[in-house]
Amino acid sequence: MCGIVGYAGPREATPILMEGLSRLEYRGYDSAGLAVHDGADIRILRSPGKLARLAGLLEGRQLPGTLGIGHTRWATHGPPSEQNAHPHASGDVVLVHNGILENHAELRRALEKKGRRFTSQTDTEVFAHLIDEELGRRPLEQAVARALARVRGTYALAVLSRREPDRIVVARSSSPLVLGLGRGENLVASDIPALLGHTRDFVFLEDGDLAVLTAARVEIRTLAGEPVARPTRRIDWSPLMAEKGGHKHFMHKEIHEQPRALADTLTGRILHGRADVRLDDLRFEAAELKALGRVVIAACGTSYHAGLVAKFLIEWFARLPVEVDLASEFRYRRPVVGKGDLLVAISQSGETADTLAALREAKRLGARTLAVCNAVDASIPRAADGVLYTHAGPEIGVASTKAFVTQIGALFLLAVRLGRARRKLSPEEAGRQLEALAGAPELLEAVLRDEARIEAVARAYAQTRDFLYIARGANYPIALEGALKLKEISYIHAEGYPAGEMKHGPIALIDEHVAVVAVACQGESYEKMLSNLAEVRAREGQVIAIGQAGDEQLGALAQHQIHVPRALPSVAPMVNVLPMQLLAYHIADFHGTDVDQPRNLAKSVTVE
Ligand code: G6P
């Protein structure tokens, strides 16, 4: 999510760190900071806002030294501010961190009991105190390893100690970290583009690796201290390719980030032993959740589709009626909303004008409000009574992908919480659902592995000018989302419809020129989907079916099949949207459109 750069060598570190961070700017961030060791002491400089602000501060102040670390932060715990910006320090330890520490609240409480004082709201500061606590007379490397044995979560860390002016200790678990090998100098970064100005030789750390970098060498070990060898790779990417992690477009990169992003959404929130979830910022007592009479969801675009999926999840798990509104309609229709209602505003950016207005209107009318949001501390979460952050990481492609899947993941957690608080979901069923949710990232991986097949289908239909997307139940919103993705990035006409409505209109359109993309997974309403597809075939429509591998009945009805793994009905929408995203992506790429910045569209719509 955030960006890390570190340097150990003979040159002044500050300009190298600043340049490295500037190469990560495209990813989005809200604050930045540096720490440089001058041989005797470590100086830290941090600032909210853009790097230019940090550069401005540097003009008046010197950060001399040839060893240092830098960071661009994209807020997850605590709003963007100087106090929450990295590096964080405790005693002799100074560090930067990417990722999310799962057990930070417990660790923080324990550390505070021992008299440690925190100066930020971040989970990262816990790392600094833990390592400082372990440091004693130990070398930094050992202290880091011991501290890491006490944490759960994801991290890429770069750590300095005042007492060891020649080295950076780095470690990773799930969050990426690469070492850049130079001549008489070594570097580290969260992403390759940060270092391409200095080297082309990279060592990719793996989970559980801990490395020590000095100007002269890098040593990689396991947390237990066993040396490990990692190959050096030569990377000849252009800077632009490197920004996209080797993908042709950000959208493609973000589609592939979904298993990781969804895992981040769930991190630390599923209480396996208790068949429940912990949602720290939700800020509603169980009694209040129990007393709710209705949930009203307001959102725009892709976020609205996540709301439509949430309606199924909340009604299934919590037996609570849910209405889903387009925010632009909600605000002007004199909505009947008030006490006893929970208004859930879903927004990736947290800045969409209509969604913000809907939330404010509901609040004015007496409803309680909850924001489901990706951008921390944006206007919508600030205006809401409670927040559920999705932790998808920055999304750059205008067409939303990972934000959508993580919204559904977060709303799934909310639905379980409501179900448990209202005693409508048994512990057994909650446990079963949460287990399935925890397994969802793996199912997403399975779909991504089958990309070549989806690309082949895209090639076969690239010249088709009309697409109809059909599905039933909780997959119906996925049909809407599939059609939206195709429209947005390929400019091809596409419509999403509940399959049961086909006979009431869209069937009139069907002939050999129309492609029908259908979600037809085995389970509820499968037979009905087969009948709908038979109707399409009878009119010579082209059928692209998303279903299970080996399904011969479906195979007999479809010109093309795309396979998805079996999933519980509650998890299936998250899985089934991936083929839709990839299909749209490859069709658009085939046409050579500007996939990441499609014409006439904006990532964040802050005006009506
Ligand atoms: C724009 C974006 C969409 C997004 C919608 C809502 O139309 O292009 O991708 O779904 O706004 O944005 P939000 O940030 O509120 O989720």
Side-chain angles (χ1 to χ4, degrees):
M1 281 188 198
C2 316
I4 289 179
V5 186
Y7 176 79
R11 295 189 279 160
E12 278 301 302
T14 300
I16 296 170
L17 299 175
M18 288 298 284
E19 187 233 19
L21 292 179
S22 72
R23 289 184 188 275
L24 301 180
E25 277 197 294
Y26 69 92
R27 294 154 43 99
Y29 63 102
D30 48 51
S31 52
L34 301 176
V36 180
H37 206 311
D38 66 3
D41 202 0
I42 300 174
R43 289 198 179 85
I44 300 174
L45 197 63
R46 309 183 293 184
S47 166
K50 294 293 163 195
L51 273 179
R53 243 170 109 180
L54 188 67
L57 292 180
L58 272 169
E59 276 172 20
R61 221 167 317 177
Q62 290 293 309
L63 284 190
T66 60
L67 181 91
I69 50 178
H71 192 261
T72 44
R73 174 173 188 255
W74 197 81
T76 56
H77 294 77
S81 66
E82 187 187 341
Q83 285 81 5
N84 288 335
H86 301 210
H88 288 282
S90 173
D92 284 338
V93 173
V94 179
L95 57 78
V96 293
H97 163 226
N98 289 355
I100 298 173
L101 191 53
E102 258 185 55
N103 53 341
H104 70 99
E106 293 131 70
L107 289 168
R108 187 177 178 126
R109 273 195 298 277
L111 287 160
E112 279 170 342
K113 267 200 192 130
K114 292 185 201 162
R116 289 189 168 262
R117 294 209 28 230
F118 282 73
T119 57
S120 78
Q121 292 147 285
T122 63
D123 51 340
T124 300
E125 199 182 347
V126 169
F127 270 117
H129 284 289
L130 280 182
I131 297 171
D132 183 54
E133 194 172 70
E134 294 289 351
L135 196 58
R137 305 170 81 85
R138 291 188 186 98
L140 178 63
E141 182 189 346
Q142 275 181 25
V144 172
R146 289 172 67 100
L148 292 181
R150 295 166 63 185
V151 306
R152 288 197 314 275
T154 60
Y155 54 78
L157 273 185
V159 193
L160 303 180
S161 162
R162 220 164 250 124
R163 292 184 228 159
E164 294 173 64
D166 68 334
R167 63 195 53 210
I168 308 173
V169 175
V170 304
R172 82 156 263 180
S173 175
S174 293
S175 299
L177 208 53
V178 290
L179 308 180
L181 310 181
R183 287 216 186 102
E185 60 185 16
N186 289 303
L187 302 100
V188 62
S190 51
D191 301 83
I192 292 167
L195 305 183
L196 278 179
H198 306 283
T199 183
R200 297 264 154 186
D201 294 325
F202 290 91
V203 175
F204 293 82
L205 292 185
E206 291 184 14
D207 284 350
D209 285 356
L210 182 144
V212 179
L213 279 83
T214 62
R217 59 181 198 285
V218 299
E219 285 168 9
I220 309 172
R221 283 186 261 279
T222 63
L223 289 185
E226 296 293 320
V228 282
R230 301 279 173 233
T232 304
R233 298 224 168 86
R234 200 160 174 83
I235 300 288
D236 287 318
W237 293 346
S238 69
L240 201 65
M241 267 175 84
E243 282 187 355
K244 294 172 188 156
H247 293 266
K248 190 168 172 189
H249 297 98
F250 283 112
M251 182 182 175
H252 193 255
K253 176 171 179 267
E254 286 157 5
I255 289 173
H256 280 260
E257 279 171 356
Q258 290 179 111
R260 168 85 262 131
L262 179 60
D264 281 343
T265 307
L266 308 181
T267 290
R269 289 170 162 177
I270 297 179
L271 303 170
H272 286 285
R274 300 214 328 249
D276 206 339
V277 297
R278 185 179 70 196
L279 303 171
D280 286 337
D281 297 323
L282 194 63
R283 293 182 215 134
F284 297 113
E285 298 297 327
E288 203 174 348
L289 297 178
K290 202 162 178 239
L292 289 174
R294 188 173 61 147
V295 173
V296 179
I297 296 177
C300 300
T302 290
S303 297
Y304 168 71
H305 295 155
L308 292 176
V309 177
K311 174 180 168 71
F312 285 86
L313 297 172
I314 296 171
E315 292 189 348
W316 281 339
F317 297 168
R319 308 306 301 151
L320 191 59
V322 182
E323 275 181 33
V324 193
D325 260 293
L326 285 162
S328 53
E329 288 293 315
F330 177 89
R331 61 186 290 198
Y332 294 118
R333 74 170 160 80
R334 296 202 295 134
V336 184
V337 177
K339 213 164 169 296
D341 291 334
L342 176 68
L343 184 288
V344 180
I346 308 173
S347 175
Q348 186 287 128
S349 63
E351 300 294 349
T352 301
D354 284 325
T355 310
L356 180 59
L359 184 140
R360 288 195 172 132
E361 176 66 359
K363 210 172 179 180
R364 193 182 67 77
L365 294 169
R368 298 288 275 154
T369 55
L370 171 71
V372 175
C373 190
N374 192 31
V376 169
D377 213 34
S379 305
I380 291 172
R382 273 210 307 268
D385 300 317
V387 190
L388 184 49
Y389 284 119
T390 54
H391 298 318
E395 188 177 69
I396 294 170
V398 165
S400 184
T401 52
K402 66 175 180 172
F404 177 68
V405 163
T406 55
Q407 282 166 346
I408 300 177
L411 289 158
F412 193 120
L413 295 172
L414 174 69
V416 171
R417 183 79 268 279
L418 285 166
R420 293 296 295 131
R422 300 171 62 77
R423 308 224 182 287
K424 299 289 183 194
L425 189 66
S426 68
E428 297 72 40
E429 185 56 13
R432 189 173 86 97
Q433 291 293 343
L434 289 171
E435 197 183 318
L437 178 63
E442 262 173 55
L443 303 183
L444 305 188
E445 295 275 11
V447 178
L448 295 175
R449 280 197 294 276
D450 212 19
E451 182 169 1
R453 183 195 297 265
I454 301 169
E455 188 179 350
V457 177
R459 204 171 309 123
Y461 289 91
Q463 301 311 333
T464 303
R465 297 309 304 165
D466 276 302
F467 282 77
L468 188 63
Y469 285 69
I470 56 170
R472 284 172 182 258
N475 284 307
Y476 158 54
I478 300 306
L480 293 178
E481 176 60 10
L484 177 64
K485 286 287 87 81
L486 188 68
K487 271 188 275 219
E488 282 179 311
I489 60 174
S490 72
Y491 320 139
I492 294 171
H493 174 246
E495 275 189 71
Y497 248 93
E501 271 290 297
M502 237 192 26
K503 285 201 188 74
H504 302 287
I507 202 163
L509 296 172
I510 294 188
D511 62 17
E512 72 273 27
H513 303 298
V514 176
V516 177
V517 183
V519 181
C521 296
Q522 283 158 355
E524 241 176 74
S525 72
Y526 167 71
E527 305 285 339
K528 291 194 167 51
M529 281 303 300
L530 292 186
S531 311
N532 291 132
L533 293 182
E535 289 154 15
V536 172
R537 283 305 294 266
R539 287 155 186 85
E540 293 181 29
Q542 306 284 315
V543 174
I544 304 168
I546 297 173
Q548 264 82 49
D551 182 342
E552 285 171 13
Q553 262 183 297
L554 187 60
L557 287 169
Q559 274 88 349
H560 288 90
Q561 253 182 298
I562 296 173
H563 298 152
V564 285
R566 272 178 189 281
L568 285 188
S570 52
V571 171
M574 278 181 250
V575 179
N576 295 339
V577 75
L578 264 66
M580 306 277 193
Q581 297 167 343
L582 285 168
L583 187 66
Y585 171 79
H586 284 293
I587 291 177
D589 185 38
F590 190 84
H591 286 280
T593 59
D594 189 349
V595 170
D596 286 330
Q597 291 190 311
R599 70 187 183 200
N600 307 337
L601 297 178
K603 183 75 193 152
S604 176
V605 182
T606 53
V607 290
E608 266 192 66

